[in-house]
Structure formats: structure tokens, C-alpha cells
């Protein structure tokens, strides 16, 4: 049983560019959340997708957007990249019929230069 | 607004020592609490999940307790090993099902 997978592993972008990160949830999970983790900090909630809709959103600007597909996989898009967007981006999945335990992927390390 | 604090921020212990990591949260209206382990540059591995109605959970050498009324949780690691060296994060899930994390405790177990 594959766990949560994310791609790519690492990414280097230039200020002003746009980036798309991808996540496949653990088998049987239907809800995906995205988190941003700056160096030395705990992860910060970006948003959550369920039934292909954004259900919850954290304190992040509209430059951060997402999508969930019918197979429950998800994308995180960030436009007009800033240096401060450099971070580890984590995807988590869980199933609403389960114990609500969240499982995390290995993350995508984004560096903005 | 829910805030999660972890103390200490860093801890260095000799191998074999029993240790306790602390987590506190400001709003007792939580759905559950999870402890995670994170190795440098890696994702999060779930260690223990405690539902709001539970008092503790155990897995191997790990034991986590929850006192919702006082807003506290502890992670107890017995007979620590060098392989336990990592950052330990606690997170509470609120009614909107998002996780709110502390900043973590960086643990180093010296051989």
C-alpha cells in the first residue's frame, strides 16, 4: 500500500515565476491538506480539499491556489513567487470515515532565487 | 486562536536515558492530538494519535498522554537510542479538521 506521494522532490525557481506541486493521497483517503514548513518552524496550514472543493484555508494570499481531481490527487499552485516562499511543502491525506489520523508525504523542497 | 507550544526547543541526552517532551495548547476544544517525528529535510512520520476522549496511547517505547482540561500533552520515550535523534512535532486538530503545529523539539541522543 503506497503512502502519500509528492512530486517533484526538489525545485528551484526564480522570483516572479509560477510553480505547481503534486500530491497523491494514501489509498482509501479522500481529503488532502497542504502545509508550508519554513526552516526551523512547524508546518503551517495552507488549505484543504475534499470532494474537489477547497474546504478550509489558512492565512495565505491568493497567490496560493489548488485543485483536487476526481481520483483525490491534488495540486498546489503558487504564482508570482517570492523569496519568502522558499520552504518545504508538505501534503497530508486522511479519510473521513477513519480515525482522522493524517498521513504526510515526503514533501517538496522549493527554493526561490 | 489556537496556539501550540513545545518545550524544550532542543534536547541532548546520553543513550539509554528516559525522556519527556512537552506540548501545550491554548484552546481545549480539540478533536485529537498527534505526535510526529521528522528527520532532517524529510516528511512527517506519525507516531501516536490521541483522540480527545482518550488519556494516553502507547506504541513500543513511546507513550503519549493528553490532559485536555489543562491543555497539555507529553511524549515519553523510554530507553532512548541514537536512532531516536530527530525533531518531534505535536499538532492538534481543531473542529475544522486542520492541524495546528508547535515548532518542535530537536532531540539528539548521544551514543
Amino acid at each position: 500500500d503506497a503512502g502519500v506521494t509528492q512530486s517533484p522532490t526538489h525545485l528551484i525557481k526564480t522570483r516572479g515565476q509560477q510553480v505547481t506541486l503534486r500530491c497523491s493521497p494514501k489509498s482509501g483517503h479522500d481529503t488532502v491538506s497542504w502545509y508550508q514548513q519554513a526552516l526551523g518552524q512547524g508546518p503551517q496550514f495552507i488549505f484543504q480539499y475534499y470532494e474537489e472543493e477547497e474546504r478550509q484555508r489558512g492565512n495565505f494570499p491568493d497567490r496560493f491556489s489548488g485543485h483536487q481531481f476526481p481520483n483525490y490527487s491534488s495540486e498546489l499552485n503558487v504564482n508570482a513567487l517570492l523569496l519568502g516562499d522558499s520552504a518545504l511543502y508538505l501534503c497530508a491525506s486522511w479519510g473521513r470515515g477513519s480515525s482522522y489520523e493524517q498521513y504526510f508525504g515526503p514533501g517538496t523542497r522549493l527554493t526561490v532565487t | 486562536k489556537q496556539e501550540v507550544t513545545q518545550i524544550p526547543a532542543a534536547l541532548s541526552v546520553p543513550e539509554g536515558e528516559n525522556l519527556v517532551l512537552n506540548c501545550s495548547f491554548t484552546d481545549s476544544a480539540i478533536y485529537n492530538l498527534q505526535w510526529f517525528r521528522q528527520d532532517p529535510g524529510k516528511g512527517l512520520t506519525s507516531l501516536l494519535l490521541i483522540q480527545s476522549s482518550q488519556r494516553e496511547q502507547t506504541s513500543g517505547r513511546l507513550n503519549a498522554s493528553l490532559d485536555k482540561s489543562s491543555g497539555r500533552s507529553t511524549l515519553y520515550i523510554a530507553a532512548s537510542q541514537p536512532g531516536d535523534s530527530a525533531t518531534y512535532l505535536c499538532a492538534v486538530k481543531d473542529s475544522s479538521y486542520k492541524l495546528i503545529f508547535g515548532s518542535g523539539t530537536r532531540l539528539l541522543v548521544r551514543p
Side-chain angles (χ1 to χ4, degrees):
Chain A
D1 173 28
V4 181
T5 60
Q6 292 186 242
S7 63
T9 304
H10 296 90
L11 208 49
I12 300 175
K13 290 287 188 178
T14 304
R15 274 180 302 175
Q17 287 188 316
Q18 178 265 344
V19 69
T20 297
L21 311 182
R22 295 177 176 82
C23 171
S24 290
K26 181 178 171 62
S27 177
H29 288 179
D30 56 9
T31 304
V32 172
S33 298
W34 287 90
Y35 293 81
Q36 180 195 65
Q37 186 179 25
L39 202 61
Q41 301 295 317
Q44 298 290 318
F45 175 77
I46 302 175
F47 43 52
Q48 178 184 109
Y49 277 84
Y50 172 64
E51 292 185 335
E52 302 178 50
E53 289 190 14
E54 183 183 294
R55 299 292 179 167
Q56 295 287 336
R57 188 177 185 91
N59 189 25
F60 280 80
D62 292 344
R63 298 187 297 108
F64 289 76
S65 63
H67 189 77
Q68 185 179 36
F69 299 94
N71 66 353
Y72 309 122
S73 66
S74 177
E75 289 181 349
L76 164 65
N77 301 292
V78 187
N79 296 321
L81 284 167
L82 304 174
L83 295 179
D85 295 332
S86 295
L88 181 67
Y89 288 85
L90 296 162
C91 170
S93 74
W94 50 288
R96 294 189 177 231
S98 68
S99 63
Y100 295 77
E101 182 173 6
Q102 296 202 12
Y103 292 82
F104 280 76
T108 294
R109 170 68 64 186
L110 172 65
T111 302
V112 183
T113 62
Chain B
K1 176 188 171 188
Q2 179 73 270
E3 292 184 0
V4 180
T5 303
Q6 291 188 246
I7 295 173
L11 186 61
S12 178
V13 300
E15 181 177 3
E17 193 162 297
N18 301 326
L19 55 100
V20 174
L21 308 182
N22 296 293
C23 172
S24 62
F25 47 95
T26 55
D27 187 347
S28 62
I30 64 170
Y31 192 87
N32 61 35
L33 183 145
Q34 253 179 292
W35 282 93
F36 294 90
R37 169 186 171 137
Q38 185 174 34
D39 293 294
K42 305 296 185 182
L44 277 59
T45 300
S46 180
L47 297 173
L48 289 165
L49 169 73
I50 309 177
Q51 302 293 352
S52 62
S53 59
Q54 296 176 320
R55 298 284 294 186
E56 66 177 311
Q57 283 287 337
T58 298
S59 176
R61 294 182 295 108
L62 305 179
N63 175 277
S65 67
L66 174 64
D67 184 342
K68 215 173 66 161
S69 61
S70 68
R72 295 184 181 185
S73 176
T74 61
L75 179 66
Y76 175 83
I77 302 177
S80 59
Q81 303 170 359
D84 295 330
S85 298
T87 295
Y88 291 81
L89 293 154
C90 78
V92 298
K93 176 174 281 188
D94 65 12
S95 57
S96 68
Y97 303 122
K98 67 177 182 285
L99 288 177
I100 302 162
F101 284 84
S103 294
T105 293
R106 294 189 316 278
L107 173 65
L108 174 65
V109 181
R110 307 186 306 271

